[in-house]
PDB file of all heavy atoms in Angstrom:
ATOM      1  N   LEU A   1       7.851  -8.279  -2.631  1.00 90.00           N
ATOM      2  CA  LEU A   1       7.983  -9.219  -1.608  1.00 90.00           C
ATOM      3  C   LEU A   1       9.389  -9.865  -1.568  1.00 90.00           C
ATOM      4  O   LEU A   1       9.609 -10.820  -2.405  1.00 90.00           O
ATOM      5  CB  LEU A   1       6.935 -10.370  -1.627  1.00 90.00           C
ATOM      6  CG  LEU A   1       5.445  -9.845  -1.766  1.00 90.00           C
ATOM      7  CD1 LEU A   1       4.530 -11.047  -2.009  1.00 90.00           C
ATOM      8  CD2 LEU A   1       5.100  -9.157  -0.491  1.00 90.00           C
ATOM      9  N   VAL A   2      10.221  -9.415  -0.788  1.00 81.00           N
ATOM     10  CA  VAL A   2      11.526 -10.012  -0.637  1.00 81.00           C
ATOM     11  C   VAL A   2      11.754 -10.237   0.953  1.00 81.00           C
ATOM     12  O   VAL A   2      11.126  -9.717   1.786  1.00 81.00           O
ATOM     13  CB  VAL A   2      12.555  -8.943  -1.045  1.00 81.00           C
ATOM     14  CG1 VAL A   2      12.396  -8.756  -2.612  1.00 81.00           C
ATOM     15  CG2 VAL A   2      12.448  -7.566  -0.374  1.00 81.00           C
ATOM     16  N   GLN A   3      12.916 -10.975   1.139  1.00 70.00           N
ATOM     17  CA  GLN A   3      13.186 -11.366   2.525  1.00 70.00           C
ATOM     18  C   GLN A   3      13.864 -10.257   3.336  1.00 70.00           C
ATOM     19  O   GLN A   3      13.836 -10.161   4.506  1.00 70.00           O
ATOM     20  CB  GLN A   3      14.001 -12.621   2.444  1.00 70.00           C
ATOM     21  CG  GLN A   3      13.185 -13.862   2.134  1.00 70.00           C
ATOM     22  CD  GLN A   3      14.136 -15.055   2.149  1.00 70.00           C
ATOM     23  OE1 GLN A   3      15.085 -15.139   1.464  1.00 70.00           O
ATOM     24  NE2 GLN A   3      13.661 -16.030   2.969  1.00 70.00           N
ATOM     25  N   ASN A   4      14.621  -9.483   2.669  1.00 69.00           N
ATOM     26  CA  ASN A   4      15.532  -8.522   3.251  1.00 69.00           C
ATOM     27  C   ASN A   4      15.141  -7.088   2.903  1.00 69.00           C
ATOM     28  O   ASN A   4      15.061  -6.741   1.719  1.00 69.00           O
ATOM     29  CB  ASN A   4      17.065  -8.703   3.019  1.00 69.00           C
ATOM     30  CG  ASN A   4      17.500 -10.092   3.476  1.00 69.00           C
ATOM     31  OD1 ASN A   4      17.387 -10.303   4.597  1.00 69.00           O
ATOM     32  ND2 ASN A   4      18.066 -10.848   2.500  1.00 69.00           N
ATOM     33  N   TYR A   5      14.818  -6.286   3.864  1.00 63.00           N
ATOM     34  CA  TYR A   5      14.412  -4.842   3.723  1.00 63.00           C
ATOM     35  C   TYR A   5      15.585  -4.033   4.069  1.00 63.00           C
ATOM     36  O   TYR A   5      15.905  -3.925   5.196  1.00 63.00           O
ATOM     37  CB  TYR A   5      13.191  -4.497   4.369  1.00 63.00           C
ATOM     38  CG  TYR A   5      12.056  -5.577   4.207  1.00 63.00           C
ATOM     39  CD1 TYR A   5      11.523  -6.140   5.437  1.00 63.00           C
ATOM     40  CD2 TYR A   5      11.623  -6.030   2.951  1.00 63.00           C
ATOM     41  CE1 TYR A   5      10.527  -7.050   5.189  1.00 63.00           C
ATOM     42  CE2 TYR A   5      10.679  -6.928   2.862  1.00 63.00           C
ATOM     43  CZ  TYR A   5      10.076  -7.541   3.958  1.00 63.00           C
ATOM     44  OH  TYR A   5       9.055  -8.448   3.804  1.00 63.00           O
ATOM     45  N   PHE A   6      16.113  -3.236   3.157  1.00 64.00           N
ATOM     46  CA  PHE A   6      17.301  -2.359   3.457  1.00 64.00           C
ATOM     47  C   PHE A   6      16.844  -1.034   3.938  1.00 64.00           C
ATOM     48  O   PHE A   6      17.551  -0.280   4.465  1.00 64.00           O
ATOM     49  CB  PHE A   6      18.248  -2.313   2.123  1.00 64.00           C
ATOM     50  CG  PHE A   6      18.770  -3.637   1.870  1.00 64.00           C
ATOM     51  CD1 PHE A   6      18.192  -4.475   0.781  1.00 64.00           C
ATOM     52  CD2 PHE A   6      19.804  -4.193   2.593  1.00 64.00           C
ATOM     53  CE1 PHE A   6      18.591  -5.622   0.457  1.00 64.00           C
ATOM     54  CE2 PHE A   6      20.315  -5.439   2.263  1.00 64.00           C
ATOM     55  CZ  PHE A   6      19.728  -6.212   1.181  1.00 64.00           C
ATOM     56  N   PHE A   7      15.620  -0.637   3.679  1.00 67.00           N
ATOM     57  CA  PHE A   7      15.187   0.601   4.085  1.00 67.00           C
ATOM     58  C   PHE A   7      13.679   0.387   4.627  1.00 67.00           C
ATOM     59  O   PHE A   7      13.031  -0.463   4.092  1.00 67.00           O
ATOM     60  CB  PHE A   7      15.045   1.685   2.998  1.00 67.00           C
ATOM     61  CG  PHE A   7      16.352   1.934   2.319  1.00 67.00           C
ATOM     62  CD1 PHE A   7      16.651   1.258   1.204  1.00 67.00           C
ATOM     63  CD2 PHE A   7      17.325   2.881   3.007  1.00 67.00           C
ATOM     64  CE1 PHE A   7      17.964   1.489   0.693  1.00 67.00           C
ATOM     65  CE2 PHE A   7      18.475   3.039   2.391  1.00 67.00           C
ATOM     66  CZ  PHE A   7      18.897   2.437   1.247  1.00 67.00           C
ATOM     67  N   SER A   8      13.165   1.144   5.562  1.00 67.00           N
ATOM     68  CA  SER A   8      11.897   0.923   5.999  1.00 67.00           C
ATOM     69  C   SER A   8      10.848   0.997   5.014  1.00 67.00           C
ATOM     70  O   SER A   8       9.774   0.451   5.077  1.00 67.00           O
ATOM     71  CB  SER A   8      11.574   1.882   7.256  1.00 67.00           C
ATOM     72  OG  SER A   8      11.652   3.195   6.782  1.00 67.00           O
ATOM     73  N   THR A   9      11.116   1.936   4.025  1.00 70.00           N
ATOM     74  CA  THR A   9      10.238   2.166   2.889  1.00 70.00           C
ATOM     75  C   THR A   9      10.031   0.921   1.908  1.00 70.00           C
ATOM     76  O   THR A   9       9.195   0.999   1.100  1.00 70.00           O
ATOM     77  CB  THR A   9      10.460   3.415   2.205  1.00 70.00           C
ATOM     78  OG1 THR A   9      11.893   3.457   1.779  1.00 70.00           O
ATOM     79  CG2 THR A   9      10.404   4.611   3.069  1.00 70.00           C
ATOM     80  N   ASP A  10      10.965  -0.003   2.093  1.00 71.00           N
ATOM     81  CA  ASP A  10      10.930  -1.191   1.182  1.00 71.00           C
ATOM     82  C   ASP A  10       9.913  -2.147   1.704  1.00 71.00           C
ATOM     83  O   ASP A  10       9.455  -3.023   0.970  1.00 71.00           O
ATOM     84  CB  ASP A  10      12.235  -1.920   1.300  1.00 71.00           C
ATOM     85  CG  ASP A  10      13.405  -1.142   0.532  1.00 71.00           C
ATOM     86  OD1 ASP A  10      12.969  -0.217  -0.253  1.00 71.00           O
ATOM     87  OD2 ASP A  10      14.466  -1.461   0.776  1.00 71.00           O
ATOM     88  N   ASN A  11       9.355  -2.017   2.969  1.00 76.00           N
ATOM     89  CA  ASN A  11       8.456  -3.061   3.415  1.00 76.00           C
ATOM     90  C   ASN A  11       7.136  -3.143   2.651  1.00 76.00           C
ATOM     91  O   ASN A  11       6.591  -2.132   2.185  1.00 76.00           O
ATOM     92  CB  ASN A  11       8.116  -2.657   4.946  1.00 76.00           C
ATOM     93  CG  ASN A  11       9.186  -2.922   5.894  1.00 76.00           C
ATOM     94  OD1 ASN A  11       9.304  -4.082   6.385  1.00 76.00           O
ATOM     95  ND2 ASN A  11       9.978  -1.880   6.252  1.00 76.00           N
ATOM     96  N   PRO A  12       6.750  -4.357   2.422  1.00 81.00           N
ATOM     97  CA  PRO A  12       5.513  -4.492   1.525  1.00 81.00           C
ATOM     98  C   PRO A  12       4.269  -4.096   2.367  1.00 81.00           C
ATOM     99  O   PRO A  12       4.138  -4.334   3.566  1.00 81.00           O
ATOM    100  CB  PRO A  12       5.487  -5.954   1.224  1.00 81.00           C
ATOM    101  CG  PRO A  12       6.230  -6.624   2.247  1.00 81.00           C
ATOM    102  CD  PRO A  12       7.277  -5.582   2.647  1.00 81.00           C
ATOM    103  N   ASN A  13       3.356  -3.406   1.700  1.00 89.00           N
ATOM    104  CA  ASN A  13       2.069  -3.114   2.371  1.00 89.00           C
ATOM    105  C   ASN A  13       0.969  -3.668   1.516  1.00 89.00           C
ATOM    106  O   ASN A  13       1.072  -3.925   0.332  1.00 89.00           O
ATOM    107  CB  ASN A  13       1.868  -1.515   2.422  1.00 89.00           C
ATOM    108  CG  ASN A  13       2.664  -0.790   3.426  1.00 89.00           C
ATOM    109  OD1 ASN A  13       2.515   0.251   3.631  1.00 89.00           O
ATOM    110  ND2 ASN A  13       3.757  -1.514   4.098  1.00 89.00           N
ATOM    111  N   LEU A  14      -0.159  -3.778   2.238  1.00 91.00           N
ATOM    112  CA  LEU A  14      -1.425  -4.191   1.554  1.00 91.00           C
ATOM    113  C   LEU A  14      -2.165  -2.918   1.201  1.00 91.00           C
ATOM    114  O   LEU A  14      -2.417  -2.145   2.125  1.00 91.00           O
ATOM    115  CB  LEU A  14      -2.256  -5.110   2.391  1.00 91.00           C
ATOM    116  CG  LEU A  14      -1.713  -6.473   2.620  1.00 91.00           C
ATOM    117  CD1 LEU A  14      -2.630  -7.250   3.571  1.00 91.00           C
ATOM    118  CD2 LEU A  14      -1.565  -7.180   1.353  1.00 91.00           C
ATOM    119  N   HIS A  15      -2.422  -2.673  -0.127  1.00 93.00           N
ATOM    120  CA  HIS A  15      -3.001  -1.434  -0.558  1.00 93.00           C
ATOM    121  C   HIS A  15      -4.334  -1.615  -1.233  1.00 93.00           C
ATOM    122  O   HIS A  15      -4.432  -2.545  -1.944  1.00 93.00           O
ATOM    123  CB  HIS A  15      -2.032  -0.674  -1.398  1.00 93.00           C
ATOM    124  CG  HIS A  15      -2.617   0.405  -2.221  1.00 93.00           C
ATOM    125  ND1 HIS A  15      -3.011   1.700  -1.680  1.00 93.00           N
ATOM    126  CD2 HIS A  15      -2.937   0.525  -3.648  1.00 93.00           C
ATOM    127  CE1 HIS A  15      -3.567   2.392  -2.599  1.00 93.00           C
ATOM    128  NE2 HIS A  15      -3.509   1.697  -3.742  1.00 93.00           N
ATOM    129  N   HIS A  16      -5.304  -0.758  -1.009  1.00 94.00           N
ATOM    130  CA  HIS A  16      -6.583  -0.799  -1.660  1.00 94.00           C
ATOM    131  C   HIS A  16      -6.447  -0.054  -3.011  1.00 94.00           C
ATOM    132  O   HIS A  16      -6.053   1.138  -2.946  1.00 94.00           O
ATOM    133  CB  HIS A  16      -7.763  -0.101  -0.845  1.00 94.00           C
ATOM    134  CG  HIS A  16      -8.133  -0.875   0.420  1.00 94.00           C
ATOM    135  ND1 HIS A  16      -7.366  -0.751   1.646  1.00 94.00           N
ATOM    136  CD2 HIS A  16      -9.152  -1.701   0.604  1.00 94.00           C
ATOM    137  CE1 HIS A  16      -7.992  -1.552   2.476  1.00 94.00           C
ATOM    138  NE2 HIS A  16      -9.049  -2.192   1.917  1.00 94.00           N
ATOM    139  N   VAL A  17      -6.657  -0.752  -4.082  1.00 95.00           N
ATOM    140  CA  VAL A  17      -6.583  -0.055  -5.354  1.00 95.00           C
ATOM    141  C   VAL A  17      -7.537   1.177  -5.399  1.00 95.00           C
ATOM    142  O   VAL A  17      -7.167   2.120  -5.916  1.00 95.00           O
ATOM    143  CB  VAL A  17      -6.770  -0.994  -6.516  1.00 95.00           C
ATOM    144  CG1 VAL A  17      -6.778  -0.278  -7.828  1.00 95.00           C
ATOM    145  CG2 VAL A  17      -5.833  -2.032  -6.468  1.00 95.00           C
ATOM    146  N   PHE A  18      -8.739   0.876  -4.947  1.00 95.00           N
ATOM    147  CA  PHE A  18      -9.737   1.951  -4.747  1.00 95.00           C
ATOM    148  C   PHE A  18      -9.686   2.252  -3.228  1.00 95.00           C
ATOM    149  O   PHE A  18     -10.408   1.563  -2.503  1.00 95.00           O
ATOM    150  CB  PHE A  18     -11.158   1.602  -5.154  1.00 95.00           C
ATOM    151  CG  PHE A  18     -11.316   1.462  -6.730  1.00 95.00           C
ATOM    152  CD1 PHE A  18     -10.827   0.415  -7.416  1.00 95.00           C
ATOM    153  CD2 PHE A  18     -12.077   2.597  -7.217  1.00 95.00           C
ATOM    154  CE1 PHE A  18     -11.040   0.416  -8.747  1.00 95.00           C
ATOM    155  CE2 PHE A  18     -12.125   2.530  -8.755  1.00 95.00           C
ATOM    156  CZ  PHE A  18     -11.686   1.434  -9.383  1.00 95.00           C
ATOM    157  N   PRO A  19      -8.892   3.227  -2.765  1.00 93.00           N
ATOM    158  CA  PRO A  19      -8.727   3.432  -1.260  1.00 93.00           C
ATOM    159  C   PRO A  19     -10.222   3.714  -0.622  1.00 93.00           C
ATOM    160  O   PRO A  19     -11.014   4.371  -1.199  1.00 93.00           O
ATOM    161  CB  PRO A  19      -7.953   4.725  -1.254  1.00 93.00           C
ATOM    162  CG  PRO A  19      -7.148   4.685  -2.464  1.00 93.00           C
ATOM    163  CD  PRO A  19      -7.985   4.210  -3.553  1.00 93.00           C
ATOM    164  N   THR A  20     -10.380   3.096   0.472  1.00 91.00           N
ATOM    165  CA  THR A  20     -11.645   3.065   1.188  1.00 91.00           C
ATOM    166  C   THR A  20     -12.161   4.494   1.446  1.00 91.00           C
ATOM    167  O   THR A  20     -13.385   4.854   1.581  1.00 91.00           O
ATOM    168  CB  THR A  20     -11.781   2.230   2.383  1.00 91.00           C
ATOM    169  OG1 THR A  20     -10.667   2.616   3.325  1.00 91.00           O
ATOM    170  CG2 THR A  20     -11.527   0.777   2.049  1.00 91.00           C
ATOM    171  N   ASN A  21     -11.187   5.400   1.676  1.00 90.00           N
ATOM    172  CA  ASN A  21     -11.561   6.833   2.036  1.00 90.00           C
ATOM    173  C   ASN A  21     -11.312   7.825   0.926  1.00 90.00           C
ATOM    174  O   ASN A  21     -11.140   9.008   1.090  1.00 90.00           O
ATOM    175  CB  ASN A  21     -10.723   7.275   3.300  1.00 90.00           C
ATOM    176  CG  ASN A  21     -11.130   6.677   4.563  1.00 90.00           C
ATOM    177  OD1 ASN A  21     -12.466   6.444   4.770  1.00 90.00           O
ATOM    178  ND2 ASN A  21     -10.334   6.192   5.459  1.00 90.00           N
ATOM    179  N   SER A  22     -11.182   7.159  -0.304  1.00 90.00           N
ATOM    180  CA  SER A  22     -10.988   8.100  -1.479  1.00 90.00           C
ATOM    181  C   SER A  22     -12.244   8.834  -1.834  1.00 90.00           C
ATOM    182  O   SER A  22     -13.390   8.349  -1.504  1.00 90.00           O
ATOM    183  CB  SER A  22     -10.421   7.243  -2.658  1.00 90.00           C
ATOM    184  OG  SER A  22     -11.468   6.307  -3.085  1.00 90.00           O
ATOM    185  N   GLU A  23     -12.116   9.751  -2.598  1.00 90.00           N
ATOM    186  CA  GLU A  23     -13.242  10.612  -3.097  1.00 90.00           C
ATOM    187  C   GLU A  23     -14.240   9.819  -3.875  1.00 90.00           C
ATOM    188  O   GLU A  23     -15.418   9.791  -3.697  1.00 90.00           O
ATOM    189  CB  GLU A  23     -12.770  11.904  -3.824  1.00 90.00           C
ATOM    190  CG  GLU A  23     -13.902  12.716  -4.311  1.00 90.00           C
ATOM    191  CD  GLU A  23     -13.402  13.858  -5.145  1.00 90.00           C
ATOM    192  OE1 GLU A  23     -12.191  14.029  -5.484  1.00 90.00           O
ATOM    193  OE2 GLU A  23     -14.231  14.576  -5.689  1.00 90.00           O
ATOM    194  N   TYR A  24     -13.690   8.899  -4.687  1.00 91.00           N
ATOM    195  CA  TYR A  24     -14.485   8.182  -5.497  1.00 91.00           C
ATOM    196  C   TYR A  24     -15.337   7.203  -4.747  1.00 91.00           C
ATOM    197  O   TYR A  24     -16.547   7.120  -4.845  1.00 91.00           O
ATOM    198  CB  TYR A  24     -13.643   7.306  -6.454  1.00 91.00           C
ATOM    199  CG  TYR A  24     -14.513   6.165  -7.153  1.00 91.00           C
ATOM    200  CD1 TYR A  24     -15.278   6.395  -8.240  1.00 91.00           C
ATOM    201  CD2 TYR A  24     -14.486   4.835  -6.625  1.00 91.00           C
ATOM    202  CE1 TYR A  24     -16.105   5.413  -8.809  1.00 91.00           C
ATOM    203  CE2 TYR A  24     -15.219   3.908  -7.156  1.00 91.00           C
ATOM    204  CZ  TYR A  24     -16.116   4.210  -8.177  1.00 91.00           C
ATOM    205  OH  TYR A  24     -16.810   3.164  -8.731  1.00 91.00           O
ATOM    206  N   VAL A  25     -14.843   6.404  -3.633  1.00 90.00           N
ATOM    207  CA  VAL A  25     -15.576   5.501  -2.948  1.00 90.00           C
ATOM    208  C   VAL A  25     -16.566   6.280  -2.141  1.00 90.00           C
ATOM    209  O   VAL A  25     -17.738   5.750  -2.007  1.00 90.00           O
ATOM    210  CB  VAL A  25     -14.570   4.658  -2.130  1.00 90.00           C
ATOM    211  CG1 VAL A  25     -15.377   3.781  -1.096  1.00 90.00           C
ATOM    212  CG2 VAL A  25     -13.741   3.733  -2.924  1.00 90.00           C
ATOM    213  N   LEU A  26     -16.185   7.337  -1.444  1.00 90.00           N
ATOM    214  CA  LEU A  26     -17.031   7.964  -0.695  1.00 90.00           C
ATOM    215  C   LEU A  26     -18.254   8.538  -1.369  1.00 90.00           C
ATOM    216  O   LEU A  26     -19.361   8.558  -0.859  1.00 90.00           O
ATOM    217  CB  LEU A  26     -16.414   9.159   0.131  1.00 90.00           C
ATOM    218  CG  LEU A  26     -15.334   8.747   1.021  1.00 90.00           C
ATOM    219  CD1 LEU A  26     -14.499   9.940   1.659  1.00 90.00           C
ATOM    220  CD2 LEU A  26     -15.890   7.853   2.196  1.00 90.00           C
ATOM    221  N   ASN A  27     -18.077   9.023  -2.561  1.00 89.00           N
ATOM    222  CA  ASN A  27     -19.120   9.618  -3.383  1.00 89.00           C
ATOM    223  C   ASN A  27     -19.991   8.476  -4.154  1.00 89.00           C
ATOM    224  O   ASN A  27     -21.071   8.907  -4.744  1.00 89.00           O
ATOM    225  CB  ASN A  27     -18.566  10.546  -4.423  1.00 89.00           C
ATOM    226  CG  ASN A  27     -18.095  11.750  -3.655  1.00 89.00           C
ATOM    227  OD1 ASN A  27     -18.443  12.025  -2.627  1.00 89.00           O
ATOM    228  ND2 ASN A  27     -17.141  12.540  -4.391  1.00 89.00           N
TER     229      ASN A  27
END
C-alpha cells in the first residue's frame, strides 16, 4: 500500500487466500 504507483501492476488488490473458484474451495 503506497501512494504512488509507477506501474499498473503495482496497484494493490484484495486477494482471497483461498480463491473462491479454486479447486480446493469448489471441492
Side-chain angles (χ1 to χ4, degrees):
L1 302 176
V2 292
Q3 288 180 303
N4 298 304
Y5 312 125
F6 298 98
F7 303 97
S8 61
T9 52
D10 290 342
N11 284 279
N13 284 192
L14 292 175
H15 164 70
H16 291 83
V17 178
F18 287 76
T20 55
N21 290 319
S22 64
E23 180 184 357
Y24 166 81
V25 171
L26 294 175
N27 289 340

